[in-house]
């Protein structure tokens, strides 16, 4: 089996999804640290590897794929053992929905602004945290988003009775959120 190369940084919620999927599937991978927000960090061929400039990117031999969702679906199809997507078609749709909700709503509207304000701005951009933005996210944005999630979980897992991409994507966000 070709050794997978995952470009990214474990702190990134989207990179973490791919790492967890690889671990669940017992796939061997090598990690290459790319931190897009740090000027000069990405390798010279980064634009070729990542059309958006974002992490993660997977290299599987001569095959390159960007986007955590595309990568997880690719790995699940290529290595069907220990699936991260359910077989049942309705559960499958729901798992994809929570993955989209994790990236498009939780990350974009809660985790990213908080992380940007409290970690990237003071440490990398050397700009003070805008407390009004942080307060606005916590007070006005987060309650509806977390409230929806709370209404959706009935047991141990978000979809069906096994760990899926839905849980992986949501928890990956909560680790950074915490
Ligand atoms: N839809 C993409 C989103 C990836 C994404 O937002 N990555 C962030 C880190 S978690 C990133 O690269 N940010 C740096 C930038 O925007 O330049 C995916 O699922 O892989």
């Amino acid at each position: 089996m070709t050794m997978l190369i995952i470009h990214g940084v474990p702190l990134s919620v989207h990179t973490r999804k791919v790492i967890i999927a690889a671990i669940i599937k017992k796939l061997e991978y090598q990690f290459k640290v790319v931190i897009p927000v740090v000027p000069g960090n990405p390798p010279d061929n980064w634009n070729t590897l990542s059309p958006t400039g974002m992490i993660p990117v997977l290299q599987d031999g001569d095959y390159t794929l960007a986007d955590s969702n595309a990568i997880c679906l690719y790995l699940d199809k290529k290595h069907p053992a220990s699936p991260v997507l359910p077989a049942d078609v309705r559960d499958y749709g729901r798992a994809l929905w929570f993955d989209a909700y994790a990236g498009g709503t939780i990350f974009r509207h809660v985790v990213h602004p908080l992380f940007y304000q409290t970690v990237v701005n003071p440490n990398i951009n050397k700009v003070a945290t805008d407390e009004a933005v942080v307060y606005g996210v916590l007070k006005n944005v987060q309650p509806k988003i977390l409230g929806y999630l709370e209404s959706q979980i009935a047991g141990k897992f978000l979809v069906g009775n096994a760990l899926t991409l839905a849980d992986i994507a949501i928890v990956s966000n909560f680790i950074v959120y915490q």
Side-chain angles (χ1 to χ4, degrees):
M1 199 193 298
T2 337
M3 169 81 81
L4 299 171
I5 299 176
I6 299 172
H7 296 265
V9 58
L11 183 63
S12 137
V13 305
H14 298 99
T15 307
R16 183 177 296 121
K17 280 167 57 182
V18 173
I19 295 172
I20 294 171
I23 291 171
I24 288 173
K25 292 177 166 300
K26 299 188 172 53
L27 303 175
E28 282 190 44
Y29 67 88
Q30 205 187 350
F31 198 69
K32 291 211 174 155
V33 176
V34 174
I35 312 173
V37 293
V38 172
N41 176 274
D44 288 345
N45 64 343
W46 186 236
N47 287 344
T48 318
L49 294 176
S50 175
T52 59
M54 290 197 266
I55 50 173
V57 168
L58 177 82
Q59 280 185 285
D60 184 4
D62 61 359
Y63 184 75
T64 304
L65 195 60
D67 192 275
S68 63
N69 173 273
I71 296 168
C72 289
L73 266 65
Y74 165 79
L75 290 178
D76 218 40
K77 193 143 195 153
K78 185 167 178 189
H79 306 280
S82 305
V84 291
L85 283 150
D88 176 85
V89 71
R90 291 183 173 210
D91 284 351
Y92 180 83
R94 230 171 117 70
L96 292 183
W97 153 247
F98 283 115
D99 183 43
Y101 190 71
T105 301
I106 303 176
F107 179 71
R108 285 293 152 216
H109 300 305
V110 178
V111 175
H112 184 268
L114 293 180
F115 184 75
Y116 206 85
Q117 285 301 331
T118 62
V119 178
V120 177
N121 263 352
N123 294 294
I124 297 169
N125 296 339
K126 307 293 177 203
V127 171
T129 299
D130 186 336
E131 298 295 346
V133 173
V134 173
Y135 183 79
V137 170
L138 295 178
K139 179 98 173 84
N140 305 321
V141 182
Q142 168 182 292
K144 186 174 172 214
I145 292 173
L146 297 191
Y148 166 71
L149 270 186
E150 200 63 47
S151 77
Q152 293 299 305
I153 184 132
K156 201 170 165 189
F157 303 105
L158 269 167
V159 179
N161 53 9
L163 184 81
T164 67
L165 185 59
D167 307 291
I168 297 170
I170 302 275
V171 171
S172 289
N173 270 275
F174 283 159
I175 291 170
V176 175
Y177 174 89
Q178 178 65 27

